[in-house]
Amino acid sequence: MKLVTFVEGNMGPRPGLLVQGGVIDLSAEGFRDSIAFMSAAASVQAHLAKSKATLAMDGVKLLAPVPAPPRIFGIGVNYAEHSAESGTPMQKVPTVFIVLSSAVVGPDESVILPKASEKPDYEAELAVVIGQAGYQIPASRAMEHVFGYTIMNDVSARDVQRATSQFSLGKSFPTFAPMGPWVVSKDEVADPHGLQISMTIGGEKLQDSNTKMMIFQIPALIEYISGITPLEVGDVISTGTPAGVGMGRTPPRWLKPGEEMVIKIEGIGELRNKTVAE
């Protein structure tokens, strides 16, 4: 199933399921948001996924599928080649930082390049969405806690990020966490560690890799993070970016106003966002 959040007409955001022919409006079934649906029993989710569309796609605008995640855990330097291009030694444990939920925007929404940064950068990432809460989850049971997968662009103001050893503020400017266009349930993705992932800007493919190149795979990330803080339904773990970011190029390739970033992940879909100057 594909879980979405959408708006239609003058009505506020609602959760839905994308099916052939349109969208199933989950608010009509009593779900206030996508997190409430992910918290429901699997049997309820499966039953609703077999329903017929109640809304046509041409009258619907998709937002970020989880508009306000409880937490977004970013994972730094989780691909070996990206570790090398960024000049960062291979880590013995995952590098984890927080991206503020206020940075989240959806597909086709503008990414605002702030006046406070001269070095805005792009990062194509596979994001994991937690569907079952848990604390101290062993890697052997980690996938039981996953609802599904989406795409995240971990936009980064490199000069702000690198000004200190703390990444979070450089990753959390408004609109710096484009996400979507939906969450694909885990049953539709046979192996999240074998997906082609790419970033294209202006027709030029700048990142082109495979999620099998992750240093710390999803079960290890869930075990590590949940060993420190309990995971909540709706939490997002953005699993890191492959090589090819602007910072790692010679000369560096920073984002400019008027560009369109297109991330494609096999089996998940495509996330498009354009840049504008603040």
Side-chain angles (χ1 to χ4, degrees), residues 41-66:
S43 58
V44 173
Q45 296 173 358
H47 172 73
L48 288 172
K50 296 177 182 177
S51 303
K52 292 184 178 180
T54 54
L55 297 170
M57 276 302 297
D58 58 5
V60 163
K61 172 179 171 56
L62 297 183
L63 307 179
V66 188

Side-chain angles (χ1 to χ4, degrees), residues 29 55 73 78 84 89 97 101 105 109 114 164 193 224 228 240 274:
E29 303 295 333
L55 297 170
F73 298 96
N78 198 29
F97 55 89
S101 294
V105 291
E109 293 191 57
T164 74
H193 306 105
Y224 181 74
I228 297 167
K274 291 183 178 180

